[in-house]
Amino acid sequence: MKLKITLFVMIFFSALSFAQKTVSGKITDEDGVAIPSASVTIEEPGKDAILAYAITNSKGEYKVTFTSAESNVDLKVKAFNQRPLTKQINNSDQTVNFKMEGEATEIKEVKLKTKMITARGDTISYDLKAFDSKSDRTLADVMKKIPGIEVNTDGTILYQGNAINKFYVNGKDLMEGGYGTINNSLPKDAVQKVEVLENHQPVKILQDKVPSDQAAINIKLKNSVTMTGRGEVGLGGSPLLWNVKLTPMFFGQKSQWVVNYKTNNVGEQVENEGNILAFGNRFEGRRINASQNDWLNVENASTPNLPVKRYLMNSVHYVSANYLTNIDKKKEWELKANANYTNNAVERESYIQQEIFATDKLPATTVFQNIRNNFYTDKAKGELIFTKNAKKGFFKNTTSFSQYWNADRAIVDRNSTLPNSSRNGEEAVESPTTSFQNSLSTIVPWKEKMVNVLSFISYQTDKQTLEVSPASYLQIPGFFTPSTANFATQSMRLKTFEANHSANIGFSTKGWTFTPEIGFNFKSTNLVSDLSNVLAGTIDTPSNTPISAYSNDLTYTTATPYGSVGVNYKNDSWMLYANFPVNSNNIKAEDPARSVSKDVNKVTFEPSIFAQYTFASFWKASVNANINNNFGEVNTAYSGFMMTSPSGINAMKATNPIPQNNNKSAGTRIEYRNPLNNLFFNINYRYSDAKRNLISSPTIEQGYTVMEYQERDNHVLSNGYSAEVGKYFPKFKTNASVSYSNNNTKSDLFLNNAFYTNRNNGQSVGLKFNNTYFSWMSIDYNASFSKTKQTSAGRADTDANRTGFTHNLGLFFYPIENHTIGFNWDQVNTNAVDQKYRNGFYDVSYQFTWAKKKIDFELKWMNIANRRVFETYEIGNTDTRFTRIQLRPSQVMFTVKFNFK
């Protein structure tokens, strides 16, 4: 492994140093006056290909770095009202000044032709019209086709494989990271262009002081004041189906707002549009997607590896509102208010046949299980944000509140080849959660320095109750339910308080910025639980387990004072940021009734570093490395019995030590993006070593796993590399990309009193392209091929191989103006051992556009083959599983789509 890393680093730095040359100088007119905005390009003689380019600044200065194997190159200079110059120079570092002769240009005819992709500094602009097709309606439809940009299924936007840190509309961040609503509902006709802001530092006072390697997206609208939005109203059968989307928007110079209401029962997950997808940086404070601590669960039906719309049986209502306004004349202060509410009901059903391997204690067993679920979500969230983002100071305070009223239900029929194993039961979980956070960050200039204060406070209460009826359904080995009990109940409450406070001072000199910081992080979690109508032993021979074994009252605290030094550097070619913290970790777990009393006090050094080098105009190369430690959570320290699921009871030994995990990782990346020839690609490699002081030693008995831990150092080693290349072909109006990834994991495990090593290898190849060359047809195609291999050695050796193939084809035909015929094909294939499954889904649609009113009338038939089940086969370390999952049946929808104006 070390050899692989060494070779990769050698290749990496060889790529940086091979034939890199820099030419700089100054361009003036005949009178010696500097010429700004002149273009300087480097080309190889006899070839119509630009190696690198630069634009002169206000002083007429330029600097261009390039890579070429030729002994000589052509340097070309162009400027308005000046005679173009071409000079052949040696392939070497040098200074070349130019004095251009004036030449008046007679403009006989003016033709405006917008370039598809343009670059200026760190901003790359995409003309949206160059990439859309007749079937596209929203910004998201077109964004998926832009080279260098990718939109994940959860709505996250990636640029060159990395998530963006900001999403602006006309330079304003209305959505604060939850940009899914705008991306999915902003009409493409309202957009002039999409701008990618590379190396974007969102905090203005930190620009040119603290660099960033992340990119941001800015949506530039055609008008500075825009009232727009998107609406859909659809009905269908069978049974009765509906799909309503109403999203009016307003974008002005002083204020912006978006109101959104979406409801459907056709399988669309609109409720996820409120998720935070872009988090900015730490100097803006801390923002999180509040979530529940789901300890208790009913047994869940399986979900297939298919697009969600194929299997989600839902009935959802989602409403949200986002508002931004400037509250001062200088437009430096902003007030943002965001709120959303979700009401969702989901049905799910699956059948599983599980073949459990024989062990030294038990014979092989077959288990048959059918699960029918109902999941109910009620969630409300509100957020208030005050921001000042100016060159002379920064302030941001974010207050958010979330409330859940969720409930899960399950009806389970189970039997196996063991005697007297047939049973059925009803399960219910009630899980209300209250969550509150407040984040404050302020940066104040002090002489030549900057003072930054950060504060984050969070309080969350989770209450869960799991009830199983009849109690006799449980049949957990080692436990029994009294004959008089109608149901078994597990109750649990978590109270979590977290506070992070820090202060730092930053000072800059000659491109370097140093930021010494002190801080204190504190987290306390209290777990209270109780289990009723479940006892240890058997009815005939109950055990003498004390009553305290069925409850927990555990307090788990982590207190970490720390000191660190941040180092940042930025110039035309290099960007560096690093942090060198020393943490004093103090962890304590106490539950007197359960005889739990343990602690860890340890000082750790957890450095992180990132360095990026930009060369030859289009290339970026970077390396990064970090070390971090974690010491477990409350879920590793409780000792009393806990029925987290009706399938089993868990408990930790009171004497188990606190986990101490050390993680080391390093990676490197080479990136190329050339807007001149519409070519983008990146290559990545990453290696990590997770060292753990505890190893789990589960014992499997009749399908129930008894968890124990041993003190023994063990490792999880992983390494992976990936590559992606994308190019737009203007002549053929085609955008295409190919990606490849290879990931390996090696982990130490312990099972049935035996150590073994588990190895996993996963490979995938992806292909995407879209074409709008023909006026009568457009095509979108996505395909991926995956291969996984799992090998276990050191116990009963196993080998498991699995391959998969998925693709999505979208064809749109335009036989007559304003008429569109669509065809969609989703295919999911899996192979494991001698089991092969083919799952194909087909949709057809017809759409008429009332061009004058910009209204679409669509008739769509989904799943025309009426495929009702999804089947798959999986191989694990201890079992194999055949799964059959219920899918959505064939359905027909009529929809009216329109824009708000």
Side-chain angles (χ1 to χ4, degrees):
M1 185 56 62
K2 292 182 178 179
L3 178 61
K4 289 183 180 179
I5 297 174
T6 303
L7 289 173
F8 195 89
V9 172
M10 290 175 64
I11 294 171
F12 172 78
F13 284 105
S14 296
L16 295 186
S17 59
F18 176 72
Q20 295 177 37
K21 300 297 181 290
T22 300
V23 178
S24 60
K26 187 173 183 179
I27 299 174
T28 62
D29 61 14
E30 294 174 297
D31 298 324
V33 178
I35 300 177
S37 301
S39 67
V40 181
T41 60
I42 301 291
E43 301 179 18
E44 292 183 342
K47 298 181 181 179
D48 186 20
I50 297 175
L51 299 177
Y53 74 98
I55 304 294
T56 58
N57 59 22
S58 60
K59 299 179 181 179
E61 299 169 337
Y62 74 91
K63 182 179 180 181
V64 58
T65 304
F66 64 95
T67 301
S68 175
E70 300 290 334
S71 58
N72 297 308
V73 295
D74 289 340
L75 191 154
K76 297 182 179 181
V77 183
K78 294 181 180 180
F80 186 70
N81 278 340
Q82 304 293 329
R83 180 175 296 174
L85 294 175
T86 299
K87 182 176 182 180
Q88 192 167 91
I89 61 174
N90 294 328
N91 186 355
S92 62
D93 294 328
Q94 56 191 292
T95 300
V96 183
N97 297 321
F98 291 92
K99 181 173 288 189
M100 305 188 74
E101 297 180 13
E103 181 180 74
T105 303
E106 182 182 354
I107 303 177
K108 298 180 180 179
E109 183 180 3
V110 176
K111 291 185 178 180
L112 298 178
K113 184 178 180 181
T114 304
K115 292 185 178 179
M116 295 173 298
I117 306 176
T118 58
R120 191 173 186 84
D122 282 339
T123 300
I124 297 178
S125 300
Y126 300 85
D127 178 19
L128 222 61
K129 288 185 178 180
F131 303 99
D132 71 346
S133 66
K134 293 180 181 179
S135 60
D136 295 332
R137 292 295 180 268
T138 66
L139 175 63
D141 294 336
V142 187
M143 287 276 279
K144 298 173 183 178
K145 303 175 181 179
I146 296 177
I149 294 178
E150 183 178 353
V151 182
N152 284 343
T153 53
D154 67 352
T156 305
I157 297 175
L158 308 180
Y159 174 68
Q160 286 284 61
N162 291 329
I164 62 173
N165 64 356
K166 285 289 181 179
F167 183 94
Y168 301 105
V169 178
N170 282 349
K172 292 184 179 293
D173 183 16
L174 165 65
M175 306 306 289
E176 281 287 341
Y179 53 76
T181 298
I182 290 182
N183 198 33
N184 293 332
S185 302
L186 179 63
K188 68 169 186 176
D189 295 337
V191 180
Q192 179 182 352
K193 59 184 176 180
V194 174
E195 296 178 332
V196 174
L197 314 178
E198 296 187 316
N199 302 322
H200 179 63
Q201 170 55 264
V203 181
K204 293 180 181 179
I205 194 174
L206 300 179
Q207 291 173 355
D208 300 323
K209 294 182 179 65
V210 177
S212 168
D213 65 311
Q214 288 185 283
I217 295 287
N218 180 46
I219 307 302
K220 191 168 183 179
L221 303 180
K222 293 177 180 178
N223 301 314
S224 58
V225 178
T226 302
M227 178 68 192
T228 186
R230 186 75 178 157
E232 296 183 18
V233 178
L235 290 173
S238 66
L240 176 65
L241 302 173
W242 73 84
N243 189 2
V244 178
K245 302 178 183 179
L246 302 172
T247 313
M249 308 176 184
F250 173 79
F251 302 99
Q253 295 180 324
K254 184 179 178 180
S255 64
Q256 297 182 350
W257 56 259
V258 172
V259 177
N260 181 35
Y261 173 66
K262 295 183 178 178
T263 176
N264 74 83
N265 66 344
V266 297
E268 286 195 38
Q269 282 187 310
V270 295
E271 66 274 14
N272 292 332
E273 286 189 346
N275 290 348
I276 301 173
L277 304 175
F279 293 88
N281 65 32
R282 71 178 299 269
F283 289 97
E284 294 183 81
R286 183 175 171 185
R287 300 191 71 230
I288 62 174
N289 281 313
S291 61
Q292 295 183 285
N293 289 301
D294 292 324
W295 279 48
L296 309 184
N297 299 279
V298 298
E299 294 176 89
N300 289 344
S302 301
T303 57
N305 180 27
L306 288 174
V308 173
K309 64 181 181 181
R310 300 298 182 188
Y311 65 86
L312 182 62
M313 313 287 189
N314 69 328
S315 175
V316 62
H317 298 267
Y318 176 75
V319 59
S320 66
N322 297 74
Y323 177 72
L324 176 154
T325 185
N326 289 111
I327 54 179
D328 68 324
K329 293 182 180 180
K330 293 183 179 180
K331 296 183 179 180
E332 292 181 342
W333 283 90
E334 288 181 343
L335 166 65
K336 302 175 189 177
N338 309 317
N340 62 67
Y341 172 72
T342 302
N343 177 274
N344 193 17
V346 173
E347 296 180 5
R348 190 179 300 162
E349 183 176 353
S350 71
Y351 166 81
I352 297 175
Q353 180 176 322
Q354 180 185 17
E355 305 284 347
I356 302 174
F357 301 152
T359 66
D360 296 337
K361 297 181 179 181
L362 298 170
T365 307
T366 303
V367 178
F368 307 92
Q369 179 178 262
N370 193 75
I371 301 176
R372 296 179 297 281
N373 287 125
N374 291 93
F375 303 107
Y376 303 99
T377 300
D378 273 295
K379 174 188 173 184
K381 179 182 179 182
E383 193 170 50
L384 194 64
I385 304 172
F386 287 94
T387 304
K388 177 186 178 181
N389 192 2
K391 280 290 187 181
K392 295 184 179 181
F394 176 81
F395 177 90
K396 186 171 187 177
N397 190 87
T398 303
T399 303
S400 61
F401 176 82
S402 299
Q403 179 66 53
Y404 296 81
W405 304 270
N406 290 359
D408 300 337
R409 301 289 185 266
I411 298 176
V412 184
D413 299 316
R414 180 196 297 267
N415 58 76
S416 74
T417 54
L418 295 174
N420 302 319
S421 61
S422 296
R423 53 197 168 108
N424 58 74
E426 296 184 6
E427 306 164 4
V429 167
E430 304 291 335
S431 53
T433 293
T434 301
S435 177
F436 169 84
Q437 293 92 31
N438 191 84
S439 172
L440 169 67
S441 176
T442 181
I443 304 175
V444 180
W446 178 44
K447 297 181 180 180
E448 300 299 321
K449 303 176 181 64
M450 299 177 299
V451 178
N452 175 218
V453 176
L454 291 159
S455 174
F456 175 78
I457 296 175
S458 172
Y459 179 78
Q460 181 164 318
T461 300
D462 296 277
K463 295 181 180 179
Q464 288 188 278
T465 303
L466 169 61
E467 187 174 285
V468 181
S469 176
S472 58
Y473 168 81
L474 295 178
Q475 295 186 10
I476 300 173
F479 295 87
F480 74 97
T481 57
S483 57
T484 57
N486 294 323
F487 54 83
T489 303
Q490 173 71 66
S491 62
M492 184 275 297
R493 187 201 67 202
L494 277 174
K495 290 184 177 180
T496 305
F497 174 76
E498 184 175 1
N500 304 323
H501 304 296
S502 65
N504 64 65
I505 183 169
F507 54 92
S508 302
T509 176
K510 297 180 180 180
W512 292 87
T513 298
F514 299 93
T515 312
E517 178 175 301
I518 58 172
F520 181 74
N521 297 331
F522 177 82
K523 184 176 182 180
S524 176
T525 303
N526 176 244
L527 166 65
V528 176
S529 71
D530 189 52
L531 177 61
S532 60
N533 290 339
V534 180
L535 300 172
T538 66
I539 294 178
D540 298 327
T541 57
S543 72
N544 295 320
T545 304
I547 194 65
S548 61
Y550 301 93
S551 63
N552 291 280
D553 189 358
L554 172 70
T555 299
Y556 195 95
T557 60
T558 302
T560 309
Y562 70 90
S564 69
V565 176
V567 180
N568 301 274
Y569 176 75
K570 190 177 189 308
N571 64 13
D572 292 339
S573 300
W574 283 98
M575 181 170 66
L576 166 73
Y577 53 86
N579 196 35
F580 303 98
V582 176
N583 302 327
S584 176
N585 303 280
N586 305 277
I587 300 94
K588 191 171 186 179
E590 285 190 325
D591 184 349
R594 300 292 307 123
S595 301
V596 174
S597 181
K598 45 194 170 186
D599 59 74
V600 167
N601 299 285
K602 188 173 184 178
V603 176
T604 58
F605 178 54
E606 304 183 21
S608 62
I609 186 170
F610 173 88
Q612 178 179 279
Y613 180 61
T614 302
F615 59 103
S617 295
F618 309 118
W619 293 84
K620 290 182 180 180
S622 63
V623 293
N624 64 85
N626 67 80
I627 300 174
N628 65 75
N629 295 269
N630 65 73
F631 298 89
E633 291 288 346
V634 66
N635 60 347
T636 64
Y638 72 91
S639 179
F641 294 139
M642 179 84 74
M643 183 174 64
T644 56
S645 168
S647 61
I649 291 177
N650 299 317
M652 304 290 175
K653 282 189 175 181
T655 56
N656 276 351
I658 291 176
Q660 300 182 43
N661 303 323
N662 176 269
N663 304 297
K664 302 182 181 73
S665 64
T668 186
R669 171 183 174 89
I670 296 176
E671 178 183 325
Y672 177 85
R673 70 276 183 276
N674 187 343
L676 300 178
N677 62 11
N678 312 313
L679 178 63
F680 296 77
F681 73 79
N682 59 81
I683 303 171
N684 304 271
Y685 176 79
R686 188 149 200 89
Y687 173 81
S688 67
D689 176 6
K691 180 183 177 182
R692 305 172 298 188
N693 70 319
L694 301 180
I695 190 167
S696 61
S697 57
T699 301
I700 297 176
E701 297 180 359
Q702 302 180 30
Y704 171 59
T705 302
V706 179
M707 296 296 299
E708 295 181 1
Y709 288 90
Q710 294 188 8
E711 286 194 78
R712 174 175 175 143
D713 287 347
N714 60 98
H715 295 260
V716 177
L717 304 175
S718 62
N719 69 89
Y721 52 90
S722 63
E724 182 179 18
V725 57
K727 181 175 174 57
Y728 184 76
F729 302 89
K731 185 177 180 180
F732 303 101
K733 293 186 177 181
T734 298
N735 181 42
S737 67
V738 179
S739 60
Y740 173 76
S741 67
N742 187 309
N743 295 285
N744 297 279
T745 302
K746 175 186 175 183
S747 55
D748 300 322
L749 298 173
F750 189 81
L751 183 67
N752 292 331
N753 297 316
F755 285 95
Y756 68 101
T757 300
N758 195 63
R759 297 176 185 269
N760 287 279
N761 172 259
Q763 301 180 54
S764 66
V765 179
L767 169 67
K768 295 193 302 182
F769 76 85
N770 57 77
N771 177 279
T772 57
Y773 180 78
F774 302 101
S775 61
W776 52 272
M777 182 190 75
S778 63
I779 180 173
D780 293 304
Y781 184 73
N782 297 276
S784 67
F785 175 82
S786 63
K787 180 180 180 181
T788 59
K789 181 178 181 180
Q790 179 176 292
T791 304
S792 299
R795 52 187 287 269
D797 294 350
T798 63
D799 252 323
N801 297 301
R802 178 181 174 135
T803 61
F805 172 74
T806 65
H807 80 78
N808 171 263
L809 172 66
L811 276 174
F812 296 92
F813 300 95
Y814 317 103
I816 308 174
E817 186 70 19
N818 298 326
H819 295 262
T820 303
I821 298 173
F823 172 74
N824 186 77
W825 174 17
D826 288 323
Q827 184 72 38
V828 178
N829 299 342
T830 57
N831 295 335
V833 192
D834 58 346
Q835 306 290 330
K836 297 182 179 180
Y837 297 95
R838 304 289 184 266
N839 296 276
F841 302 87
Y842 312 96
D843 309 325
V844 294
S845 64
Y846 165 74
Q847 181 172 284
F848 169 71
T849 301
W850 186 3
K852 185 177 180 179
K853 298 293 185 179
K854 293 186 177 180
I855 299 176
D856 298 320
F857 301 92
E858 181 189 62
L859 183 65
K860 190 172 186 178
W861 184 8
M862 293 160 284
N863 190 11
I864 59 178
N866 200 25
R867 182 179 291 273
R868 290 177 173 268
V869 296
F870 177 91
E871 297 178 330
T872 187
Y873 185 78
E874 298 178 359
I875 301 176
N877 286 329
T878 60
D879 62 3
T880 64
R881 287 174 178 250
F882 165 76
T883 305
R884 183 186 298 119
I885 304 169
Q886 196 73 25
L887 301 179
R888 295 190 67 90
S890 181
Q891 54 192 40
V892 177
M893 290 286 296
F894 175 74
T895 305
V896 180
K897 306 177 183 180
F898 53 92
N899 291 346
F900 289 101
K901 285 190 176 181

